[in-house]
Amino acid sequence: MPPPAGSPAPTISGDRVHQKGSLPVPASTSASRPSLLGVFGHPDDESLLAGGVLALRAAAGAATAVVTATWAPDSHRAGELADALDILGAGRPRMLGFADARIPDSAPGRARLCDAPLEEVAGLIVEHIRAVRPQVVVTHDAYGQLTGHPDHRRTHQATLLAFHAAGLEHLYPQAGAPWQPDALYAATHPHSGVDELGALLTRVGKKVLSVPDGHVTETVDVSGCVDQKLAAILAHRSEAARERSLPGILSRLPAAERESIIAAENFALLGRRPAPGGAVLQPSR
């Protein structure tokens, strides 16, 4: 069962050492190993943005799962996603099946994710939240990560709506029994942490959208499972073979440079389950 309303939001890393503005608390309870659901735009986003956290949570015995918004379940990228999730211990692919904004034939006959009604996309995510019943949900940041991909931004918007709707019985009643996760985090990139990666992306003509360092509420050291994370990234073979894709860029780097880029993951706390008390809207007497 999730912690009672009003208790601290579970952290991504499983302890409180990395979360800014809070005191360290030993990771000694089941709440320190929160179940985790990632919701991302494309196959490979889960490995690039949260592969280390997914691997760490699975190794600690927590349930983990990933929802992927684009590409058809019978596409070649679905098979690559299945391999990556197997490496990370994150279960089977859960694919919404919308088309990639830049590759319409990625899901023949389906709308592009960025064109689909927001409420429709959110309802599908609610269904997975209620089925998985995670304590923590992780998605893209509002920029849509460093390059501002429209599918990432749409996934962020829909997941934000779904996080709040999932616990309300009169919203999406067809999607299963209500379940309110404890915390919603965005995978993100602080200004101070994108020098190496930003230079690589700029070199291939991509923009770099990072956030002020103060927006990051938790940084997780995933160096202990960096080989596992890299294997999951490279399981997306079609992307690793491309010159301008991030898996392709990483695959061609020297090992030490590559590890310095992928050995930490940054997150911003976007939302928490409603808690009683602490009213701030009433004027003081």
Side-chain angles (χ1 to χ4, degrees):
M1 292 298 291
S7 58
T11 61
I12 294 292
S13 60
D15 58 40
R16 305 237 167 237
V17 174
H18 299 292
Q19 185 165 340
K20 298 179 181 179
S22 63
L23 296 174
V25 174
S28 59
T29 68
S30 60
S32 70
R33 298 181 177 86
S35 53
L36 183 67
L37 175 66
V39 185
F40 298 106
H42 311 107
D44 80 4
D45 292 332
E46 79 297 324
S47 300
L48 290 164
L49 298 173
V53 162
L54 285 164
L56 289 172
R57 293 296 84 225
T64 59
V66 170
V67 172
T68 307
T70 65
W71 286 80
D74 60 352
S75 65
H76 71 280
R77 294 201 65 184
E80 295 172 355
L81 175 62
D83 291 343
L85 295 183
D86 186 58
I87 291 168
L88 298 174
R92 61 178 176 81
R94 296 170 174 268
M95 305 184 75
L96 304 187
F98 291 101
D100 186 312
R102 295 168 181 165
I103 311 175
D105 63 359
S106 57
R110 291 293 305 276
R112 298 191 311 165
L113 175 65
C114 58
D115 296 330
L118 183 61
E119 290 246 346
E120 177 188 347
V121 182
L124 294 173
I125 296 171
V126 165
E127 186 174 344
H128 286 284
I129 290 175
R130 290 176 178 173
V132 176
R133 299 169 74 84
Q135 290 170 274
V136 175
V137 178
V138 178
T139 191
H140 299 280
D141 65 13
Y143 280 143
Q145 306 317 135
L146 290 170
T147 59
H149 197 294
D151 290 337
H152 295 176
R153 293 198 302 269
R154 194 61 161 177
T155 303
H156 166 86
Q157 294 161 359
T159 305
L160 189 60
L161 177 58
F163 173 80
H164 294 291
L168 299 174
E169 60 183 322
H170 296 301
L171 291 177
Y172 305 105
Q174 76 286 357
W179 175 262
Q180 180 59 63
D182 291 308
L184 172 65
Y185 284 88
T188 195
H189 298 84
H191 293 333
S192 64
V194 297
D195 289 347
E196 292 175 278
L197 183 55
L200 293 169
L201 293 172
T202 301
R203 196 176 304 160
V204 295
K206 295 189 176 184
K207 56 188 174 183
V208 179
L209 303 174
S210 55
V211 303
D213 285 21
H215 285 217
V216 174
T217 53
E218 192 168 354
T219 297
V220 184
D221 178 358
V222 299
S223 57
C225 60
V226 72
D227 291 340
Q228 190 177 359
K229 177 178 176 177
L230 177 62
I233 292 171
L234 299 183
H236 294 280
R237 295 171 290 279
S238 60
E239 289 298 289
R242 295 178 58 221
E243 183 176 348
R244 296 180 70 249
S245 74
L246 188 48
I249 292 170
L250 292 172
S251 72
R252 293 187 293 274
L253 291 178
E257 184 177 354
R258 180 171 57 215
E259 181 171 340
S260 72
I261 291 173
I262 68 173
E265 294 172 355
N266 297 283
F267 302 91
L269 181 64
L270 295 182
R272 297 182 56 180
R273 65 159 45 213
V280 296
L281 298 181
Q282 298 182 46
S284 58
R285 296 183 181 274

